Amino acid sequence: MASLSLSTSTPTAAGSTTPQTYSSSFTTTISPLLFLSKTSKKCALKSLKHKVLSCNAENSSSLNNLDRRNVLLGLGGLAGAVNLTSSSVPSVLAAPLAAPDISKCGTSPLSGFKPGGTTPTGGDCCPPDSTQIMDFKFPTNQAFKVRPAAHLLSPKYIAKFNEAIKRMKELPEDDPRNFLQQAHIHCAYCNGAYTQSSSGFPDIEIQIHNSWLFFPFHRWYLYFYERIMGSLIDDPTFALPFWNWDTPAGMTIPKYFNDPKSALFDSKRNQANLKAVVDLGYNGKDSGTSDIEKVKNNLAIMYRQMVTNATDPTAFFGGEYRAGVEPITGGGSVEQSPHTPVHRWVGDPRETNGENLGNFYSAGRDTLFYCHHSNVDRMWSLWKMLGGKHTDITDPDWLNASFVFYDENKNLVRVYVKDCLLTNQLGYDYQRVDVPWLKSKPVPRAPRSGIAKKLVGKVKKTDDVTFPVKLDKIVKVLVPRPKKSRSKKEKQEKEELLIIQGITYDSEKYVKFDVYVNDEDDDEASAPDQTEFAGSFAQLPHKHKGKTSSKTNFRAGLTELLEELEADDDDSVLVTVVPRSGSEDITIDAIKIIYA
Ligand code: C2O
């Protein structure tokens, strides 16, 4: 990977431009098209000109995929599939996860809070019921929105944002657009209130984290949130700001969030972090490093997670998750970090469960959540512009997975993943800002071939380890490489991946561990801006009914890393797994290297 750039424009170096402020009519001052590929540019131009948003750009072929399940079962669309019982679903056929039947929404453990109240009361987080579900249609005549960087907002824009949230908070408790009702959405989809009953599996919960549904679910969630805000302040151009934590100037909580008089204020945040530089690799406590170090580490983490560990769709989006199973294949690179550490870093340690942002059930009760996720969503757009294998998933079970949300007119709308792949089709894009982490590749601490060989006899090989191993202390192991010294072509075709399989963890804790490769130093692990740091596994606490542990996998890209560490000709690599938070109960089934 020689030099990295986004497909149509090379971002300028960090800090080289004067920050601009934008009013809500800033579509004239910045072009939302700068970041788009040629096809989507054409599409966006057409959209802007004709005010239609129906053109398909680069994903048209995948959009034309037939719903395999409907074909096989001869059903008339997913609406028909909704009535299937588990016995009528042949087990050999996987199927897309269908939108939950909200009338069957149940009490979620730890969900409870009354709209208007601030303390969990043990209630539930179900939305108001509705007998009518509309299928999503791309709106015609929609104003194009450009989501601005939250730290660059004009006072006028901040006032609008504040007003929109204030009005959401003032809506009646049972209005689905009400602020806490909107927060409930996150709780219901992530904390055991919904089951897969519409897919025929009433005993299996829906969990939209930790799998390939993470990005599309949150994109749709924000999409409707934004429309509700715009409609409440009567400004269809109003776009949800993104918390630009991937650039130095954006690495603190935008200060207007700290004004107690503002609707954007939330008292349940870590008081030590209100003005601090965010830690994208947060271990559950302050790292003690200087701000300069933090910024450097943050940029390196961004590079690691967006580039090295996101070489293909599975790595970026996360593993598959279909009807009839739980999401156990593993979350995507960005979901684990920085997404999860940022949640936990903002959440209030004075609260039992790290409320608000530090726990799934309560995260949506802090407005900062939506700006955080706006930036997470922006990562999806940026990642696709990096080229290579950076494309959306084409599996029909991903494309046809569905969710339901209330829109700005209180209509319950069913949406499909396949309709959210292009933001310009949904009528929005992101303000163009610098992407400094593209040039923040970690540097090797001690590149040396033969490290693993030298340690034979001192460190166990995976074959000699009795799995599962406990992660109550640092685990060091020599992992054999089935292939070495691969050709350039082989490397282009397949990435060398470090896989940590069958990670069983306590899902009610903030869990994090870091993974290092060929890091010999016992006293001090490498920092994130050093090549030896391969990535992090991180999970936000959440409760399921009747169980407290979850199982999943972790993967990290090794191809570039081993080249830089001059270890590409080695037979094995030294892997160090360092527990950082909540790891006492973690067990690991296997550690290995594969090519995919
Ligand atoms: Cu649904 Cu950031 O979590």
Side-chain angles (χ1 to χ4, degrees):
M1 205 157 310
S3 77
L4 268 175
S5 67
L6 297 170
S7 57
T8 55
S9 59
T10 313
T12 46
S16 70
T17 54
T18 343
Q20 296 157 280
T21 48
Y22 299 103
S23 70
S24 67
S25 59
F26 53 62
T27 30
T28 50
T29 55
I30 47 166
S31 167
L33 307 179
L34 280 171
F35 255 6
L36 303 176
S37 67
K38 245 192 211 149
T39 18
S40 35
K41 213 180 222 174
K42 232 193 258 163
C43 175
L45 275 173
K46 194 170 134 206
S47 314
L48 285 173
K49 242 210 222 120
H50 305 292
K51 298 251 188 295
V52 290
L53 292 162
S54 57
C55 58
N56 288 344
E58 67 256 27
N59 290 294
S60 56
S61 61
S62 57
L63 292 176
N64 290 336
N65 273 322
L66 291 167
D67 183 333
R68 178 158 43 100
R69 188 193 193 196
N70 289 351
V71 173
L72 290 167
L73 297 177
L75 298 166
L78 222 101
V82 160
N83 298 320
L84 283 175
T85 60
S86 56
S87 59
S88 64
V89 179
S91 58
V92 287
L93 292 178
L97 191 75
D101 176 350
I102 63 165
S103 72
K104 297 208 171 75
C105 179
T107 308
S108 150
L110 231 190
S111 63
F113 53 94
K114 286 202 187 97
T118 49
T119 325
T121 57
D124 67 56
C125 54
C126 298
D129 201 4
S130 168
T131 46
Q132 278 203 325
I133 306 179
M134 297 168 35
D135 267 316
F136 175 76
K137 287 197 183 52
F138 289 102
T140 49
N141 288 323
Q142 187 180 233
F144 202 84
K145 302 180 187 93
V146 181
R147 293 187 180 170
H151 66 292
L152 300 178
L153 299 187
S154 67
K156 201 171 141 200
Y157 205 95
I158 296 167
K160 278 192 184 198
F161 188 15
N162 183 46
E163 187 60 27
I165 297 297
K166 187 169 154 259
R167 291 190 187 179
M168 273 174 116
K169 289 183 172 174
E170 286 164 0
L171 288 171
E173 283 180 9
D174 58 351
D175 187 315
R177 302 165 305 166
N178 168 287
F179 183 78
L180 284 174
Q181 288 288 350
Q182 285 293 308
H184 282 161
I185 294 173
H186 198 256
C187 167
Y189 274 96
C190 327
N191 257 69
Y194 289 141
T195 70
Q196 299 184 16
S197 65
S198 358
S199 304
F201 301 96
D203 299 327
I204 305 178
E205 287 175 9
I206 288 180
Q207 171 53 265
I208 49 69
H209 296 93
N210 256 319
S211 79
W212 69 14
L213 292 188
F214 171 78
F215 278 101
F217 168 81
H218 290 88
R219 175 167 284 182
W220 277 122
Y221 185 7
L222 264 51
Y223 172 80
F224 287 105
Y225 201 83
E226 184 175 70
R227 277 175 57 161
I228 291 168
M229 285 197 295
S231 110
L232 290 176
I233 55 169
D234 218 2
D235 180 355
T237 69
F238 182 80
L240 185 64
F242 61 92
W243 180 12
N244 200 181
W245 34 246
D246 58 310
T247 204
M251 285 181 190
T252 50
I253 297 176
K255 56 177 183 300
Y256 46 87
F257 278 95
N258 292 332
D259 173 3
K261 291 193 291 294
S262 165
L264 309 170
F265 179 75
D266 182 8
S267 61
K268 292 181 183 175
R269 292 187 189 133
N270 188 334
Q271 299 300 299
N273 290 341
L274 299 179
K275 292 177 184 165
V277 174
V278 69
D279 179 356
L280 300 186
Y282 187 58
N283 288 334
K285 54 180 182 304
D286 188 66
S287 63
T289 47
S290 70
D291 286 355
I292 291 181
E293 277 306 303
K294 267 188 202 144
V295 169
K296 245 172 71 179
N297 287 341
N298 286 344
L299 294 175
I301 288 172
M302 288 309 302
Y303 181 93
R304 211 16 117 236
Q305 299 303 82
M306 284 290 283
V307 182
T308 331
N309 288 336
T311 43
D312 63 53
T314 307
F316 178 76
F317 291 101
E320 57 184 56
Y321 173 34
R322 306 171 203 270
V325 292
E326 289 179 6
I328 51 167
T329 47
S333 55
V334 171
E335 176 181 359
Q336 306 217 21
S337 156
H339 159 260
T340 298
V342 170
H343 266 274
R344 202 62 190 174
W345 182 84
V346 181
D348 193 340
R350 297 171 300 184
E351 299 291 323
T352 329
N353 305 292
E355 287 88 350
N356 279 327
L357 259 164
N359 199 296
F360 279 150
Y361 94 91
S362 53
R365 298 155 78 186
D366 186 338
T367 312
L368 195 51
F369 168 86
Y370 304 91
C371 296
H372 172 38
H373 268 276
S374 185
N375 204 33
V376 170
D377 184 70
R378 179 174 155 261
M379 292 307 137
W380 182 359
S381 299
L382 291 179
W383 181 78
K384 285 209 287 184
M385 288 170 207
L386 291 171
K389 292 182 194 160
H390 295 204
T391 54
D392 287 316
I393 296 165
T394 52
D395 190 312
D397 287 346
W398 186 68
L399 296 166
N400 293 307
S402 55
F403 316 105
V404 281
F405 293 96
Y406 278 101
D407 71 6
E408 71 280 16
N409 300 314
K410 300 197 253 184
N411 291 318
L412 190 61
V413 184
R414 174 173 23 236
V415 295
Y416 291 89
V417 168
K418 64 186 171 200
D419 288 331
C420 78
L421 309 182
L422 302 170
T423 65
N424 56 303
Q425 216 173 8
L426 290 176
Y428 74 90
D429 199 356
Y430 288 96
Q431 177 187 351
R432 189 196 187 292
V433 291
D434 293 337
V435 184
W437 44 262
L438 283 174
K439 296 186 179 120
S440 306
K441 193 195 317 200
V443 288
R445 180 191 205 183
R448 220 166 334 125
S449 61
I451 285 185
K453 204 170 175 182
K454 209 179 70 190
L455 292 171
V456 174
K458 289 193 197 128
V459 175
K460 277 190 182 170
K461 295 183 190 164
T462 40
D463 276 352
D464 303 327
V465 174
T466 330
F467 286 100
V469 287
K470 253 191 131 176
L471 199 56
D472 51 358
K473 55 182 176 316
I474 294 177
V475 168
K476 263 181 195 288
V477 62
L478 296 175
V479 185
R481 298 171 70 207
K483 291 177 191 156
K484 58 175 185 174
S485 321
R486 295 188 303 148
S487 70
K488 209 172 159 197
K489 187 160 166 274
E490 283 175 295
K491 286 180 182 173
Q492 260 159 11
E493 277 163 12
K494 286 188 173 168
E495 173 73 13
E496 181 162 359
L497 293 168
L498 174 68
I499 306 286
I500 302 186
Q501 233 169 13
I503 305 161
T504 307
Y505 62 97
D506 183 340
S507 45
E508 294 179 16
K509 283 185 185 165
Y510 176 53
V511 167
K512 183 166 181 278
F513 63 74
D514 293 335
V515 181
Y516 302 83
V517 164
N518 280 7
D519 193 14
E520 266 189 298
D521 198 329
D522 273 337
D523 302 327
E524 204 191 335
S526 296
D529 64 342
Q530 292 170 320
T531 311
E532 286 84 350
F533 180 86
S536 305
F537 171 87
Q539 295 290 329
L540 211 61
H542 54 281
K543 281 204 183 191
H544 294 281
K545 281 184 199 125
K547 63 171 184 138
T548 56
S549 79
S550 294
K551 202 165 186 155
T552 189
N553 303 315
F554 168 84
R555 50 144 95 193
L558 290 184
T559 309
E560 182 190 82
L561 207 118
L562 292 178
E563 274 176 17
E564 308 236 319
L565 293 176
E566 295 171 18
D568 202 22
D569 301 327
D570 290 2
D571 300 316
S572 45
V573 293
L574 169 68
V575 171
T576 312
V577 186
V578 181
R580 297 295 189 192
S581 176
S583 298
E584 312 76 57
D585 327 289
I586 296 185
T587 57
I588 288 168
D589 286 347
I591 302 179
K592 58 186 176 193
I593 288 173
I594 63 159
Y595 303 84

